[in-house]
Amino acid sequence: MAEGKVSRVEQGHVKIKNVPIAVTPEGFWCCPSPVGFQKGTKVANPLNKAKPSSPPDKAAMQKKQTSFREKRPATTPPRSGILSDDSGAPEADAPIASTPVVQERSPRPRSDHLPRKVSVEFGERRTSDMKVILVGKQGFCVKLSVHKTVLAEKSSFFAGKIAEENGELPCLQIDDCEDAELYVEVVGLMYCNDMRQRMIKKSVSRVLRILKVAETLGFRQCIRTCLQYLEAVPWVGEEEEEVISSILRLQSEGVGTTPVLKRVSSETSSAAVDTLSRIMDLVLKSSEDRGRREMKLVVLKLLVENSSLPSYAGSSDICNQTIYDCCRSCLNSLFSSFKQCTDPEFGDRNSDGKEPVVRQIALEADNLSWLLEILAERHAADDFAAMWASQDELASLHVLLPTVSRYHVSCITARVFVGIGKGQLLPSKETRLLLMKTWLQPLINDYRWLQHGCRSFDRKIVEEGIGRTILTLPLEDQQSILLSWLGSFLKSGDSCPNLQRAFEVWWRRTFVRPFVETQPQGQSLHSDSSNVCKLGN
């Protein structure tokens, strides 16, 4: 709350500038723009200061004075912009000064050291019975001619100050106003019968500033009007955080903030889980390629962002559980499609009869790859690796399908290997070994199709991931897997993953620097880790 105190303005020490005003039929003074205040606080025109040059010739001075009087109309009276604190508005028929221009002026205090004031009137000045002085932090003051009855009726702050003085409060000064212009506008709204109409076309940030001042002054009607505005107007970008923080601050004031908060919160506790499940289901079952592809990117980005935020009430675990439920559903659908393709009657169908099943396999494989990507980015894919490694029945059916129908499934295996190689997945040793035994050979069988039929397939990254995964196993398992790979590579060449770098590391571990027999423990560990680093390069 801004500090309010009773004070008087000493005459002769305050510079007052009248700001052009407009009064509506209801007596509401239209608040000037910030430019109006800036103009009221400017220092006197430097052109009026005496110049250090030599005095001008007397004949030239008389000529200039005569020319100036001829050009200026004699019927238009000037309005003085500088008034004393108690002076009224300048009269329209004020006489025109006819004295000659004086070049030398009496010395006066520097204007930048004096407080400057903007004079503002509300309603009819003749009936105003109170003055409010706003001392702003911008280096100027604002004097408001107001009415006690209006302020006491609308503002609890002013009502309290007036009550303290038993109604005898001619002048109230409010010090250290952060935004004097907004105080003026809020006081002006106390004279307005339709504040909602005044809010139209204002920016959200402006209304939030008005709301803050209204809260300080205890102007509850204005607070309610601001809340109605914020409930109806869109919030863009960072405005949402500002609105929510302002609304949460008002909850203790007993005003109706619920309608605004309903935009960002739900009363149903299970709404978020149910909504996420529905979104995932809609995306996974979509048959429109472009829409599904774009929404997968959007949902992936949002879920990854959500994982980086603090978890409230286990929301992260619930989200991961929902994703794993989708994984199991896709696996069941994929297995069902595999069984259809291996059915003897399936071979008798024409191409139109086979196409839906083949498309379903590609769709479910793509869905599983997407779900795996989400889990990997959320650092929650370890269970997926275990679930995929245990699909021995699916792998046994894999070899029975044509390569063109099955190679999409090998993309899942490749992504699991890449995740383990990058440290995104940390499955157990048993899971890694089972994964190799179940899915490495099917991946080798489909490798040629993966290189030519999958646009997102990166051969170097996949081969590095497979090699690093092999090197995480015990040395005997490394030997068994790499010797089996060697036979396939010597037969197929480029149609087989190139695991030579992993083979070299295994060779050095086995023949060049045996861990147990020749090297001390610390040196062997150093040598082994350096080889693994070379593999990563």
Side-chain angles (χ1 to χ4, degrees):
M1 176 77 69
E3 181 184 357
K5 65 179 182 180
V6 179
S7 65
R8 298 183 60 185
V9 181
E10 299 181 3
Q11 295 192 20
H13 293 280
V14 178
K15 184 178 180 181
I16 304 174
K17 173 134 180 123
N18 273 1
V19 178
I21 62 174
V23 181
T24 64
E26 58 193 3
F28 172 69
W29 171 84
C30 298
C31 182
S33 65
V35 178
F37 287 118
Q38 294 172 5
K39 289 181 178 180
T41 60
K42 286 184 178 179
V43 185
N45 192 339
L47 295 178
N48 293 333
K49 296 182 180 180
K51 297 182 180 180
S53 58
S54 57
D57 183 69
K58 184 178 295 186
M61 283 293 300
Q62 293 177 354
K63 184 177 181 181
K64 287 183 179 180
Q65 292 175 14
T66 305
S67 175
F68 174 79
R69 292 177 182 176
E70 290 176 355
K71 290 182 179 180
R72 182 166 181 171
T75 58
T76 305
R79 289 183 177 268
S80 174
I82 301 178
L83 303 174
S84 65
D85 182 59
D86 296 328
S87 62
E91 298 295 330
D93 53 353
I96 304 175
S98 58
T99 57
V101 178
V102 180
Q103 294 299 320
E104 296 182 0
R105 300 187 179 187
S106 59
R108 60 180 180 180
R110 293 182 60 183
S111 59
D112 55 348
H113 290 165
L114 295 176
R116 293 182 290 274
K117 179 175 289 187
V118 179
S119 178
V120 176
E121 301 172 7
F122 291 90
E124 296 182 6
R125 182 179 181 181
R126 300 172 185 174
T127 61
S128 65
D129 53 3
M130 179 180 174
K131 299 194 187 306
V132 175
I133 308 297
L134 303 175
V135 181
K137 292 183 178 181
Q138 300 87 348
F140 65 94
C141 301
V142 181
K143 183 186 76 172
L144 309 180
S145 299
V146 294
H147 304 75
K148 295 178 184 178
T149 56
V150 176
L151 268 62
E153 178 186 356
K154 299 299 177 82
S155 166
S156 61
F157 170 77
F158 286 120
K161 293 298 180 181
I162 294 173
E164 289 176 3
E165 301 294 328
N166 297 322
E168 300 296 330
L169 184 63
C171 184
L172 175 66
Q173 179 170 312
I174 302 177
D175 296 324
D176 298 329
C177 296
E178 293 184 2
D179 202 335
E181 176 198 350
L182 264 297
Y183 273 82
V184 174
E185 183 167 357
V186 172
V187 173
L189 290 172
M190 296 180 187
Y191 286 79
C192 180
N193 293 330
D194 189 359
M195 282 187 289
R196 186 168 183 174
Q197 189 70 21
R198 297 286 175 185
M199 295 292 177
I200 295 177
K201 294 185 178 181
K202 290 186 182 297
S203 65
V204 172
S205 60
R206 179 81 176 183
V207 172
L208 289 176
R209 291 163 62 195
I210 293 175
L211 177 62
K212 184 177 180 181
V213 176
E215 180 188 1
T216 303
L217 298 179
F219 189 5
R220 297 180 68 86
Q221 184 180 355
C222 183
I223 293 175
R224 286 192 292 269
T225 303
C226 291
L227 291 176
Q228 292 174 0
Y229 168 90
L230 294 173
E231 191 276 332
V233 74
W235 310 331
V236 181
E238 297 179 356
E239 291 178 348
E240 180 168 329
E241 296 294 333
E242 298 176 3
V243 171
I244 298 304
S245 62
S246 300
I247 298 303
L248 292 177
R249 188 181 66 249
L250 284 171
Q251 281 186 312
S252 61
E253 300 294 330
V255 295
T257 60
T258 303
V260 182
L261 293 177
K262 278 187 174 181
R263 187 183 296 191
V264 295
S265 63
S266 175
E267 298 176 354
T268 307
S269 58
S270 60
V273 179
D274 296 340
T275 303
L276 178 60
S277 298
R278 185 175 181 185
I279 291 173
M280 300 293 287
D281 188 63
L282 289 171
V283 174
L284 293 172
K285 293 183 178 180
S286 173
S287 58
E288 205 284 318
D289 292 337
R290 180 177 179 181
R292 186 180 74 254
R293 183 171 60 252
E294 291 185 1
M295 286 311 301
K296 280 184 175 180
L297 292 174
V298 172
V299 175
L300 171 63
K301 180 186 70 172
L302 294 176
L303 287 175
V304 171
E305 289 177 358
N306 187 54
S307 66
S308 63
L309 298 176
S311 177
Y312 299 100
S315 59
S316 181
D317 295 336
I318 294 174
C319 180
N320 293 339
Q321 181 181 350
T322 302
I323 298 172
Y324 272 108
D325 289 341
C326 295
C327 290
R328 284 184 280 271
S329 176
C330 292
L331 268 175
N332 293 334
S333 177
L334 182 63
F335 182 74
S336 176
S337 299
F338 264 48
K339 291 194 71 174
Q340 290 186 50
C341 287
T342 56
D343 191 294
E345 297 180 358
F346 185 80
D348 298 334
R349 300 182 187 179
N350 55 25
S351 58
D352 293 338
K354 295 179 181 179
E355 180 62 27
V357 181
V358 175
R359 176 174 174 78
Q360 187 66 25
I361 292 175
L363 178 64
E364 298 299 350
D366 183 66
N367 288 339
L368 284 169
S369 297
W370 176 59
L371 294 171
L372 172 58
E373 190 69 31
I374 295 175
L375 292 169
E377 293 293 337
R378 293 174 62 86
H379 308 291
D382 295 353
D383 292 339
F384 186 96
M387 181 172 58
W388 187 246
S390 63
Q391 300 298 314
D392 53 341
E393 191 173 359
L394 183 66
S396 63
L397 295 176
H398 182 276
V399 70
L400 302 178
L401 269 67
T403 308
V404 66
S405 303
R406 74 191 187 198
Y407 78 93
H408 299 283
V409 176
S410 293
C411 291
I412 305 172
T413 304
R415 181 63 182 89
V416 173
F417 285 140
V418 170
I420 296 175
K422 290 183 175 181
Q424 295 175 324
L425 283 70
L426 302 174
S428 64
K429 177 188 66 176
E430 292 75 18
T431 298
R432 299 194 304 271
L433 183 58
L434 183 59
L435 185 66
M436 285 289 174
K437 291 180 178 179
T438 304
W439 287 110
L440 180 57
Q441 190 58 47
L443 174 63
I444 293 175
N445 296 338
D446 296 343
Y447 203 71
R448 182 176 182 182
W449 274 89
L450 288 171
Q451 296 179 68
H452 300 91
C454 185
R455 291 181 297 178
S456 60
F457 185 81
D458 191 322
R459 176 171 181 168
K460 291 183 178 180
I461 293 177
V462 172
E463 291 172 354
E464 184 177 4
I466 297 172
R468 288 188 170 191
T469 304
I470 294 173
L471 294 175
T472 63
L473 299 173
L475 194 61
E476 292 79 4
D477 295 321
Q478 296 177 35
Q479 176 178 321
S480 175
I481 295 171
L482 287 171
L483 289 179
S484 176
W485 160 81
L486 181 60
S488 299
F489 184 73
L490 293 175
K491 291 179 182 178
S492 304
D494 288 342
S495 297
C496 180
N498 190 338
L499 306 180
Q500 293 183 32
R501 300 175 73 178
F503 185 84
E504 292 175 6
V505 174
W506 164 78
W507 179 280
R508 294 187 183 98
R509 290 175 176 178
T510 304
F511 300 109
V512 180
R513 289 188 290 269
F515 177 75
V516 178
E517 297 179 0
T518 60
Q519 297 291 344
Q521 182 176 359
Q523 187 174 353
S524 295
L525 286 172
H526 178 74
S527 302
D528 184 65
S529 62
S530 63
N531 289 329
V532 174
C533 292
K534 290 180 180 178
L535 176 65
N537 296 330

